[in-house]
Amino acid sequence: MAVKFSEEALKEYEEITTHYPDRKATLLPALWIAQREFGYISKEVMEYVAELVGVPFVRVYEVVEFYTMYHKKKPGRYHLQLCQTLSCYLAGAEEIRKYIEEKLNLKPGETSEDGLFSFQLMECLGSCHTAPVVQINDDYYENLTVEKFDAIIQDLKKHN
Amino acid sequence: MENILILTKRFSIPNANQLEVALKHGAYSSLEKLFSMKPEDVVEEVKKSNLKGRGGAGFPTGLKWSFIPKDTKKPIYLCVNADESEPGTFTDRYIMEYDPHLLIEGIINTSYAIKSHTAYIYIRGEYVKQYQILSRALEEARKAGYVGKNILGSGYDLDIWLHRGAGAYICGEETGLIESLEGKKGQPRIKPPFPAVEGLFRSPTIVNNVKTIASVPWIVLNGGEAYAKIGTKDSTGTNIFGVSGHVNQPGYWELPFGMRFLEFLEKYPKGVKGGKLKALIPGGSSTPVLTAEECEDLYLSYESMLAHKTFLGTGGMIVMNEHTDMVKALKTLTRFYSEESCGQCTPCREGTSWLDRLLDRILNREATTKELDLLIEISDNMEGKTICALAAACAMPVRSFVTKFRSDFEKYVKPISIPVHKVAEKIIQKEPIAS
């Protein structure tokens, strides 16, 4: 299957190009659309985006490598991003980490065999007063305890 | 004075993030006065207000604006720094979430003052909800004629675009932000030229934080002098102070500058949780840590923080109680900075990760007393030797943690008395230290 944006995504992208005097500035927005369209940024996707934006492949590659939120491999259906910086650490983020490592049997960077969960450690999610915090896909889950987190995981499993 | 609200005044009103509700409670009321003023006069009012940038550096906002070349033929850009990624800091998101129209109103005021017709809001990628709320608010503002061509018949045109980051702390640094907006890695640029002269797309650019910009409509409406009367002489106006860590009620509160820290701590976050106060990071993780004794005569103002050899930063405080292991606490910060270094400057790239590895050695009880001195020595060799301040942002907490809480660190290390450069050599060559 050749990599290509859907017609709707292409239209959305072309509208975004009108926001900037230089098309190269659309690289980050283009990658966001690509991630939504294809789930992650493969080499083929990078090549497609490079052509779309009009920059060399290597520019796309270094940008994808630089930013943590672009997935270079397919994440789980639920991507668990645990904040481990100071406020979350003080509030018990390590307990949540143990839960993920032991109960879900996931090390940072791994995806569960059934593809349901993937796990990534994060540096400061900007939610220090509601620590500890886990971002799951687009949503923040705040003021976590192991019990609360367990209930969230069970609920996600049930809804799958 | 304590109950003056400039940034959070509509936070308690349900659905104030919708235009209809915001309008009923005064949103966009500064625009009529704004368009009756000359842009230069707006800059003057902001200078008079003595508003300082709330993003951390505390540079006078009006002065920054006045650095734009008067005779420029190039377009002028405004970049709103909504990248909020400094550990301990989390208040910009609530302006975007609860009162996006205040931010948009601030952007109109600021753009008009600096004669810009295009503004970009650079929002950190993780803030998906805030992105959606802002996006909807911008659409409402566009339809109602607050954004776009000939705003409210004033003849002034302004486009505001949202631009989403993708998870990199360095994009909160103003030139890193500009690089990222241009579609590159967020690697900071050497200054000068300063962005006000040559920034986004090589054009004059002002980068201001969300809270800074959201303060401008009040200044335009009420005048710079009225704003300067709030707070203290050098710290005018209000700020949203955020508190996390070991307190009974973490959260955020808008207050005029100047309150005594210990009074604030008892009154708002309801005191220290789980024991006595041990340490305070006053304004985001890069600001040097203070001991409980140092907090005795600390006030929430730029000048009091400076007198304590630390900074007000973003106003995002992290409180630690007496049971906190300062070595483990510092480890989370060295890891943060080594992860987030953009890798461009050697002292930062190597220094942050070396500090982080040393912290691992200390925590694993492999280190000696000399390595505590090495932490300081490495820090001294990072600060001021790089393009941006990330190296200093790591060096400052390391130096202050180790010097002020040395006994915490000494519990982990073996005493040894060989010269520090020998220790460094041995670590590099992976030899045992004691031999």
Side-chain angles (χ1 to χ4, degrees), chain B residues 43-65:
Chain B
V43 178
E44 269 319 298
E45 284 305 319
V46 172
K47 274 188 183 166
K48 268 189 229 162
S49 77
N50 202 11
L51 171 68
K52 291 187 172 75
R54 304 287 190 244
F59 192 80
T61 305
L63 187 62
K64 191 180 202 177
W65 293 359

mmCIF file with all atom_site columns, all heavy atoms in Angstrom, chain B residues 43-65:
data_model
loop_
_atom_site.group_PDB
_atom_site.id
_atom_site.type_symbol
_atom_site.label_atom_id
_atom_site.label_alt_id
_atom_site.label_comp_id
_atom_site.label_asym_id
_atom_site.label_entity_id
_atom_site.label_seq_id
_atom_site.pdbx_PDB_ins_code
_atom_site.Cartn_x
_atom_site.Cartn_y
_atom_site.Cartn_z
_atom_site.occupancy
_atom_site.B_iso_or_equiv
_atom_site.pdbx_formal_charge
_atom_site.auth_seq_id
_atom_site.auth_comp_id
_atom_site.auth_asym_id
_atom_site.auth_atom_id
_atom_site.pdbx_PDB_model_num
ATOM 1   N N   . VAL B 1 43 ? 3.104  50.545 24.018 1.00 0.00 ? 43 VAL B N   1
ATOM 2   C CA  . VAL B 1 43 ? 4.426  50.121 24.501 1.00 0.00 ? 43 VAL B CA  1
ATOM 3   C C   . VAL B 1 43 ? 4.815  50.953 25.727 1.00 0.00 ? 43 VAL B C   1
ATOM 4   O O   . VAL B 1 43 ? 5.312  50.420 26.732 1.00 0.00 ? 43 VAL B O   1
ATOM 5   C CB  . VAL B 1 43 ? 5.506  50.256 23.390 1.00 0.00 ? 43 VAL B CB  1
ATOM 6   C CG1 . VAL B 1 43 ? 6.877  49.851 23.920 1.00 0.00 ? 43 VAL B CG1 1
ATOM 7   C CG2 . VAL B 1 43 ? 5.141  49.399 22.174 1.00 0.00 ? 43 VAL B CG2 1
ATOM 8   N N   . GLU B 1 44 ? 4.561  52.252 25.675 1.00 0.00 ? 44 GLU B N   1
ATOM 9   C CA  . GLU B 1 44 ? 4.886  53.137 26.802 1.00 0.00 ? 44 GLU B CA  1
ATOM 10  C C   . GLU B 1 44 ? 4.142  52.722 28.083 1.00 0.00 ? 44 GLU B C   1
ATOM 11  O O   . GLU B 1 44 ? 4.720  52.689 29.166 1.00 0.00 ? 44 GLU B O   1
ATOM 12  C CB  . GLU B 1 44 ? 4.521  54.597 26.463 1.00 0.00 ? 44 GLU B CB  1
ATOM 13  C CG  . GLU B 1 44 ? 5.651  55.381 25.826 1.00 0.00 ? 44 GLU B CG  1
ATOM 14  C CD  . GLU B 1 44 ? 7.020  55.133 26.442 1.00 0.00 ? 44 GLU B CD  1
ATOM 15  O OE1 . GLU B 1 44 ? 7.188  55.430 27.642 1.00 0.00 ? 44 GLU B OE1 1
ATOM 16  O OE2 . GLU B 1 44 ? 7.915  54.621 25.740 1.00 0.00 ? 44 GLU B OE2 1
ATOM 17  N N   . GLU B 1 45 ? 2.854  52.412 27.935 1.00 0.00 ? 45 GLU B N   1
ATOM 18  C CA  . GLU B 1 45 ? 2.058  51.996 29.103 1.00 0.00 ? 45 GLU B CA  1
ATOM 19  C C   . GLU B 1 45 ? 2.627  50.718 29.711 1.00 0.00 ? 45 GLU B C   1
ATOM 20  O O   . GLU B 1 45 ? 2.694  50.582 30.933 1.00 0.00 ? 45 GLU B O   1
ATOM 21  C CB  . GLU B 1 45 ? 0.587  51.772 28.716 1.00 0.00 ? 45 GLU B CB  1
ATOM 22  C CG  . GLU B 1 45 ? -0.223 53.044 28.503 1.00 0.00 ? 45 GLU B CG  1
ATOM 23  C CD  . GLU B 1 45 ? -0.206 54.006 29.696 1.00 0.00 ? 45 GLU B CD  1
ATOM 24  O OE1 . GLU B 1 45 ? -0.295 53.541 30.859 1.00 0.00 ? 45 GLU B OE1 1
ATOM 25  O OE2 . GLU B 1 45 ? -0.081 55.219 29.464 1.00 0.00 ? 45 GLU B OE2 1
ATOM 26  N N   . VAL B 1 46 ? 3.017  49.785 28.837 1.00 0.00 ? 46 VAL B N   1
ATOM 27  C CA  . VAL B 1 46 ? 3.562  48.517 29.340 1.00 0.00 ? 46 VAL B CA  1
ATOM 28  C C   . VAL B 1 46 ? 4.911  48.771 30.009 1.00 0.00 ? 46 VAL B C   1
ATOM 29  O O   . VAL B 1 46 ? 5.234  48.171 31.038 1.00 0.00 ? 46 VAL B O   1
ATOM 30  C CB  . VAL B 1 46 ? 3.643  47.455 28.216 1.00 0.00 ? 46 VAL B CB  1
ATOM 31  C CG1 . VAL B 1 46 ? 4.381  46.205 28.676 1.00 0.00 ? 46 VAL B CG1 1
ATOM 32  C CG2 . VAL B 1 46 ? 2.235  47.081 27.760 1.00 0.00 ? 46 VAL B CG2 1
ATOM 33  N N   . LYS B 1 47 ? 5.693  49.718 29.465 1.00 0.00 ? 47 LYS B N   1
ATOM 34  C CA  . LYS B 1 47 ? 6.950  50.081 30.124 1.00 0.00 ? 47 LYS B CA  1
ATOM 35  C C   . LYS B 1 47 ? 6.669  50.655 31.510 1.00 0.00 ? 47 LYS B C   1
ATOM 36  O O   . LYS B 1 47 ? 7.333  50.307 32.488 1.00 0.00 ? 47 LYS B O   1
ATOM 37  C CB  . LYS B 1 47 ? 7.703  51.115 29.280 1.00 0.00 ? 47 LYS B CB  1
ATOM 38  C CG  . LYS B 1 47 ? 8.583  50.503 28.203 1.00 0.00 ? 47 LYS B CG  1
ATOM 39  C CD  . LYS B 1 47 ? 9.434  51.590 27.564 1.00 0.00 ? 47 LYS B CD  1
ATOM 40  C CE  . LYS B 1 47 ? 10.280 51.046 26.441 1.00 0.00 ? 47 LYS B CE  1
ATOM 41  N NZ  . LYS B 1 47 ? 10.847 52.126 25.628 1.00 0.00 ? 47 LYS B NZ  1
ATOM 42  N N   . LYS B 1 48 ? 5.671  51.551 31.568 1.00 0.00 ? 48 LYS B N   1
ATOM 43  C CA  . LYS B 1 48 ? 5.311  52.171 32.856 1.00 0.00 ? 48 LYS B CA  1
ATOM 44  C C   . LYS B 1 48 ? 4.838  51.132 33.873 1.00 0.00 ? 48 LYS B C   1
ATOM 45  O O   . LYS B 1 48 ? 5.029  51.288 35.067 1.00 0.00 ? 48 LYS B O   1
ATOM 46  C CB  . LYS B 1 48 ? 4.176  53.188 32.641 1.00 0.00 ? 48 LYS B CB  1
ATOM 47  C CG  . LYS B 1 48 ? 4.650  54.602 32.383 1.00 0.00 ? 48 LYS B CG  1
ATOM 48  C CD  . LYS B 1 48 ? 3.452  55.534 32.420 1.00 0.00 ? 48 LYS B CD  1
ATOM 49  C CE  . LYS B 1 48 ? 3.447  56.430 31.197 1.00 0.00 ? 48 LYS B CE  1
ATOM 50  N NZ  . LYS B 1 48 ? 2.138  57.044 30.934 1.00 0.00 ? 48 LYS B NZ  1
ATOM 51  N N   . SER B 1 49 ? 4.180  50.097 33.360 1.00 0.00 ? 49 SER B N   1
ATOM 52  C CA  . SER B 1 49 ? 3.634  49.067 34.266 1.00 0.00 ? 49 SER B CA  1
ATOM 53  C C   . SER B 1 49 ? 4.755  48.259 34.922 1.00 0.00 ? 49 SER B C   1
ATOM 54  O O   . SER B 1 49 ? 4.556  47.629 35.947 1.00 0.00 ? 49 SER B O   1
ATOM 55  C CB  . SER B 1 49 ? 2.730  48.107 33.494 1.00 0.00 ? 49 SER B CB  1
ATOM 56  O OG  . SER B 1 49 ? 3.517  47.183 32.741 1.00 0.00 ? 49 SER B OG  1
ATOM 57  N N   . ASN B 1 50 ? 5.940  48.284 34.294 1.00 0.00 ? 50 ASN B N   1
ATOM 58  C CA  . ASN B 1 50 ? 7.084  47.494 34.759 1.00 0.00 ? 50 ASN B CA  1
ATOM 59  C C   . ASN B 1 50 ? 6.788  45.991 34.760 1.00 0.00 ? 50 ASN B C   1
ATOM 60  O O   . ASN B 1 50 ? 7.342  45.231 35.559 1.00 0.00 ? 50 ASN B O   1
ATOM 61  C CB  . ASN B 1 50 ? 7.534  47.971 36.144 1.00 0.00 ? 50 ASN B CB  1
ATOM 62  C CG  . ASN B 1 50 ? 8.980  47.582 36.441 1.00 0.00 ? 50 ASN B CG  1
ATOM 63  O OD1 . ASN B 1 50 ? 9.702  47.141 35.553 1.00 0.00 ? 50 ASN B OD1 1
ATOM 64  N ND2 . ASN B 1 50 ? 9.385  47.706 37.686 1.00 0.00 ? 50 ASN B ND2 1
ATOM 65  N N   . LEU B 1 51 ? 5.905  45.574 33.862 1.00 0.00 ? 51 LEU B N   1
ATOM 66  C CA  . LEU B 1 51 ? 5.587  44.144 33.707 1.00 0.00 ? 51 LEU B CA  1
ATOM 67  C C   . LEU B 1 51 ? 6.838  43.392 33.280 1.00 0.00 ? 51 LEU B C   1
ATOM 68  O O   . LEU B 1 51 ? 7.504  43.779 32.328 1.00 0.00 ? 51 LEU B O   1
ATOM 69  C CB  . LEU B 1 51 ? 4.492  43.978 32.639 1.00 0.00 ? 51 LEU B CB  1
ATOM 70  C CG  . LEU B 1 51 ? 4.163  42.558 32.172 1.00 0.00 ? 51 LEU B CG  1
ATOM 71  C CD1 . LEU B 1 51 ? 3.494  41.754 33.280 1.00 0.00 ? 51 LEU B CD1 1
ATOM 72  C CD2 . LEU B 1 51 ? 3.252  42.592 30.936 1.00 0.00 ? 51 LEU B CD2 1
ATOM 73  N N   . LYS B 1 52 ? 7.129  42.322 34.014 1.00 0.00 ? 52 LYS B N   1
ATOM 74  C CA  . LYS B 1 52 ? 8.281  41.492 33.660 1.00 0.00 ? 52 LYS B CA  1
ATOM 75  C C   . LYS B 1 52 ? 7.789  40.162 33.085 1.00 0.00 ? 52 LYS B C   1
ATOM 76  O O   . LYS B 1 52 ? 6.747  39.661 33.484 1.00 0.00 ? 52 LYS B O   1
ATOM 77  C CB  . LYS B 1 52 ? 9.134  41.226 34.899 1.00 0.00 ? 52 LYS B CB  1
ATOM 78  C CG  . LYS B 1 52 ? 9.854  42.455 35.416 1.00 0.00 ? 52 LYS B CG  1
ATOM 79  C CD  . LYS B 1 52 ? 10.817 42.050 36.537 1.00 0.00 ? 52 LYS B CD  1
ATOM 80  C CE  . LYS B 1 52 ? 11.707 43.202 36.968 1.00 0.00 ? 52 LYS B CE  1
ATOM 81  N NZ  . LYS B 1 52 ? 10.992 44.192 37.789 1.00 0.00 ? 52 LYS B NZ  1
ATOM 82  N N   . GLY B 1 53 ? 8.576  39.612 32.167 1.00 0.00 ? 53 GLY B N   1
ATOM 83  C CA  . GLY B 1 53 ? 8.184  38.359 31.511 1.00 0.00 ? 53 GLY B CA  1
ATOM 84  C C   . GLY B 1 53 ? 7.994  37.244 32.522 1.00 0.00 ? 53 GLY B C   1
ATOM 85  O O   . GLY B 1 53 ? 8.873  36.974 33.330 1.00 0.00 ? 53 GLY B O   1
ATOM 86  N N   . ARG B 1 54 ? 6.843  36.597 32.451 1.00 0.00 ? 54 ARG B N   1
ATOM 87  C CA  . ARG B 1 54 ? 6.508  35.569 33.449 1.00 0.00 ? 54 ARG B CA  1
ATOM 88  C C   . ARG B 1 54 ? 7.002  34.169 33.063 1.00 0.00 ? 54 ARG B C   1
ATOM 89  O O   . ARG B 1 54 ? 6.734  33.204 33.766 1.00 0.00 ? 54 ARG B O   1
ATOM 90  C CB  . ARG B 1 54 ? 4.990  35.521 33.646 1.00 0.00 ? 54 ARG B CB  1
ATOM 91  C CG  . ARG B 1 54 ? 4.354  36.841 34.048 1.00 0.00 ? 54 ARG B CG  1
ATOM 92  C CD  . ARG B 1 54 ? 4.661  37.199 35.495 1.00 0.00 ? 54 ARG B CD  1
ATOM 93  N NE  . ARG B 1 54 ? 3.859  38.340 35.908 1.00 0.00 ? 54 ARG B NE  1
ATOM 94  C CZ  . ARG B 1 54 ? 4.360  39.524 36.247 1.00 0.00 ? 54 ARG B CZ  1
ATOM 95  N NH1 . ARG B 1 54 ? 5.658  39.737 36.210 1.00 0.00 ? 54 ARG B NH1 1
ATOM 96  N NH2 . ARG B 1 54 ? 3.562  40.506 36.625 1.00 0.00 ? 54 ARG B NH2 1
ATOM 97  N N   . GLY B 1 55 ? 7.670  34.070 31.936 1.00 0.00 ? 55 GLY B N   1
ATOM 98  C CA  . GLY B 1 55 ? 8.131  32.756 31.491 1.00 0.00 ? 55 GLY B CA  1
ATOM 99  C C   . GLY B 1 55 ? 9.312  32.217 32.278 1.00 0.00 ? 55 GLY B C   1
ATOM 100 O O   . GLY B 1 55 ? 9.656  31.052 32.176 1.00 0.00 ? 55 GLY B O   1
ATOM 101 N N   . GLY B 1 56 ? 9.933  33.068 33.073 1.00 0.00 ? 56 GLY B N   1
ATOM 102 C CA  . GLY B 1 56 ? 11.045 32.593 33.887 1.00 0.00 ? 56 GLY B CA  1
ATOM 103 C C   . GLY B 1 56 ? 12.191 33.581 33.985 1.00 0.00 ? 56 GLY B C   1
ATOM 104 O O   . GLY B 1 56 ? 12.777 33.775 35.032 1.00 0.00 ? 56 GLY B O   1
ATOM 105 N N   . ALA B 1 57 ? 12.503 34.233 32.867 1.00 0.00 ? 57 ALA B N   1
ATOM 106 C CA  . ALA B 1 57 ? 13.672 35.113 32.866 1.00 0.00 ? 57 ALA B CA  1
ATOM 107 C C   . ALA B 1 57 ? 13.391 36.469 33.515 1.00 0.00 ? 57 ALA B C   1
ATOM 108 O O   . ALA B 1 57 ? 14.307 37.128 33.998 1.00 0.00 ? 57 ALA B O   1
ATOM 109 C CB  . ALA B 1 57 ? 14.183 35.300 31.441 1.00 0.00 ? 57 ALA B CB  1
ATOM 110 N N   . GLY B 1 58 ? 12.144 36.898 33.506 1.00 0.00 ? 58 GLY B N   1
ATOM 111 C CA  . GLY B 1 58 ? 11.782 38.131 34.187 1.00 0.00 ? 58 GLY B CA  1
ATOM 112 C C   . GLY B 1 58 ? 12.293 39.399 33.522 1.00 0.00 ? 58 GLY B C   1
ATOM 113 O O   . GLY B 1 58 ? 12.514 40.414 34.175 1.00 0.00 ? 58 GLY B O   1
ATOM 114 N N   . PHE B 1 59 ? 12.464 39.368 32.188 1.00 0.00 ? 59 PHE B N   1
ATOM 115 C CA  . PHE B 1 59 ? 12.950 40.541 31.474 1.00 0.00 ? 59 PHE B CA  1
ATOM 116 C C   . PHE B 1 59 ? 11.790 41.526 31.270 1.00 0.00 ? 59 PHE B C   1
ATOM 117 O O   . PHE B 1 59 ? 10.676 41.107 30.969 1.00 0.00 ? 59 PHE B O   1
ATOM 118 C CB  . PHE B 1 59 ? 13.525 40.112 30.117 1.00 0.00 ? 59 PHE B CB  1
ATOM 119 C CG  . PHE B 1 59 ? 14.300 41.193 29.436 1.00 0.00 ? 59 PHE B CG  1
ATOM 120 C CD1 . PHE B 1 59 ? 15.607 41.465 29.814 1.00 0.00 ? 59 PHE B CD1 1
ATOM 121 C CD2 . PHE B 1 59 ? 13.705 41.971 28.447 1.00 0.00 ? 59 PHE B CD2 1
ATOM 122 C CE1 . PHE B 1 59 ? 16.320 42.480 29.194 1.00 0.00 ? 59 PHE B CE1 1
ATOM 123 C CE2 . PHE B 1 59 ? 14.416 42.988 27.822 1.00 0.00 ? 59 PHE B CE2 1
ATOM 124 C CZ  . PHE B 1 59 ? 15.719 43.246 28.207 1.00 0.00 ? 59 PHE B CZ  1
ATOM 125 N N   . PRO B 1 60 ? 12.045 42.841 31.437 1.00 0.00 ? 60 PRO B N   1
ATOM 126 C CA  . PRO B 1 60 ? 10.949 43.819 31.283 1.00 0.00 ? 60 PRO B CA  1
ATOM 127 C C   . PRO B 1 60 ? 10.305 43.749 29.897 1.00 0.00 ? 60 PRO B C   1
ATOM 128 O O   . PRO B 1 60 ? 10.983 43.885 28.873 1.00 0.00 ? 60 PRO B O   1
ATOM 129 C CB  . PRO B 1 60 ? 11.640 45.166 31.503 1.00 0.00 ? 60 PRO B CB  1
ATOM 130 C CG  . PRO B 1 60 ? 12.864 44.843 32.295 1.00 0.00 ? 60 PRO B CG  1
ATOM 131 C CD  . PRO B 1 60 ? 13.292 43.472 31.864 1.00 0.00 ? 60 PRO B CD  1
ATOM 132 N N   . THR B 1 61 ? 8.994  43.542 29.888 1.00 0.00 ? 61 THR B N   1
ATOM 133 C CA  . THR B 1 61 ? 8.277  43.277 28.637 1.00 0.00 ? 61 THR B CA  1
ATOM 134 C C   . THR B 1 61 ? 8.293  44.467 27.680 1.00 0.00 ? 61 THR B C   1
ATOM 135 O O   . THR B 1 61 ? 8.570  44.313 26.492 1.00 0.00 ? 61 THR B O   1
ATOM 136 C CB  . THR B 1 61 ? 6.830  42.867 28.961 1.00 0.00 ? 61 THR B CB  1
ATOM 137 O OG1 . THR B 1 61 ? 6.896  41.758 29.873 1.00 0.00 ? 61 THR B OG1 1
ATOM 138 C CG2 . THR B 1 61 ? 6.059  42.459 27.730 1.00 0.00 ? 61 THR B CG2 1
ATOM 139 N N   . GLY B 1 62 ? 7.996  45.661 28.200 1.00 0.00 ? 62 GLY B N   1
ATOM 140 C CA  . GLY B 1 62 ? 7.945  46.852 27.348 1.00 0.00 ? 62 GLY B CA  1
ATOM 141 C C   . GLY B 1 62 ? 9.294  47.132 26.704 1.00 0.00 ? 62 GLY B C   1
ATOM 142 O O   . GLY B 1 62 ? 9.376  47.495 25.531 1.00 0.00 ? 62 GLY B O   1
ATOM 143 N N   . LEU B 1 63 ? 10.339 46.907 27.469 1.00 0.00 ? 63 LEU B N   1
ATOM 144 C CA  . LEU B 1 63 ? 11.694 47.122 26.958 1.00 0.00 ? 63 LEU B CA  1
ATOM 145 C C   . LEU B 1 63 ? 11.985 46.146 25.820 1.00 0.00 ? 63 LEU B C   1
ATOM 146 O O   . LEU B 1 63 ? 12.536 46.523 24.778 1.00 0.00 ? 63 LEU B O   1
ATOM 147 C CB  . LEU B 1 63 ? 12.698 46.947 28.101 1.00 0.00 ? 63 LEU B CB  1
ATOM 148 C CG  . LEU B 1 63 ? 14.152 47.287 27.811 1.00 0.00 ? 63 LEU B CG  1
ATOM 149 C CD1 . LEU B 1 63 ? 14.298 48.764 27.455 1.00 0.00 ? 63 LEU B CD1 1
ATOM 150 C CD2 . LEU B 1 63 ? 15.042 46.961 29.019 1.00 0.00 ? 63 LEU B CD2 1
ATOM 151 N N   . LYS B 1 64 ? 11.593 44.882 26.008 1.00 0.00 ? 64 LYS B N   1
ATOM 152 C CA  . LYS B 1 64 ? 11.780 43.863 24.966 1.00 0.00 ? 64 LYS B CA  1
ATOM 153 C C   . LYS B 1 64 ? 11.068 44.295 23.686 1.00 0.00 ? 64 LYS B C   1
ATOM 154 O O   . LYS B 1 64 ? 11.645 44.221 22.602 1.00 0.00 ? 64 LYS B O   1
ATOM 155 C CB  . LYS B 1 64 ? 11.211 42.532 25.473 1.00 0.00 ? 64 LYS B CB  1
ATOM 156 C CG  . LYS B 1 64 ? 11.546 41.315 24.640 1.00 0.00 ? 64 LYS B CG  1
ATOM 157 C CD  . LYS B 1 64 ? 10.920 40.065 25.267 1.00 0.00 ? 64 LYS B CD  1
ATOM 158 C CE  . LYS B 1 64 ? 11.592 38.788 24.844 1.00 0.00 ? 64 LYS B CE  1
ATOM 159 N NZ  . LYS B 1 64 ? 11.028 37.597 25.499 1.00 0.00 ? 64 LYS B NZ  1
ATOM 160 N N   . TRP B 1 65 ? 9.851  44.770 23.831 1.00 0.00 ? 65 TRP B N   1
ATOM 161 C CA  . TRP B 1 65 ? 9.079  45.204 22.660 1.00 0.00 ? 65 TRP B CA  1
ATOM 162 C C   . TRP B 1 65 ? 9.788  46.345 21.927 1.00 0.00 ? 65 TRP B C   1
ATOM 163 O O   . TRP B 1 65 ? 9.733  46.442 20.712 1.00 0.00 ? 65 TRP B O   1
ATOM 164 C CB  . TRP B 1 65 ? 7.678  45.672 23.069 1.00 0.00 ? 65 TRP B CB  1
ATOM 165 C CG  . TRP B 1 65 ? 6.796  44.588 23.607 1.00 0.00 ? 65 TRP B CG  1
ATOM 166 C CD1 . TRP B 1 65 ? 7.093  43.268 23.749 1.00 0.00 ? 65 TRP B CD1 1
ATOM 167 C CD2 . TRP B 1 65 ? 5.457  44.752 24.069 1.00 0.00 ? 65 TRP B CD2 1
ATOM 168 N NE1 . TRP B 1 65 ? 6.011  42.593 24.285 1.00 0.00 ? 65 TRP B NE1 1
ATOM 169 C CE2 . TRP B 1 65 ? 5.004  43.480 24.485 1.00 0.00 ? 65 TRP B CE2 1
ATOM 170 C CE3 . TRP B 1 65 ? 4.586  45.836 24.187 1.00 0.00 ? 65 TRP B CE3 1
ATOM 171 C CZ2 . TRP B 1 65 ? 3.728  43.265 25.002 1.00 0.00 ? 65 TRP B CZ2 1
ATOM 172 C CZ3 . TRP B 1 65 ? 3.308  45.634 24.696 1.00 0.00 ? 65 TRP B CZ3 1
ATOM 173 C CH2 . TRP B 1 65 ? 2.898  44.350 25.103 1.00 0.00 ? 65 TRP B CH2 1
#
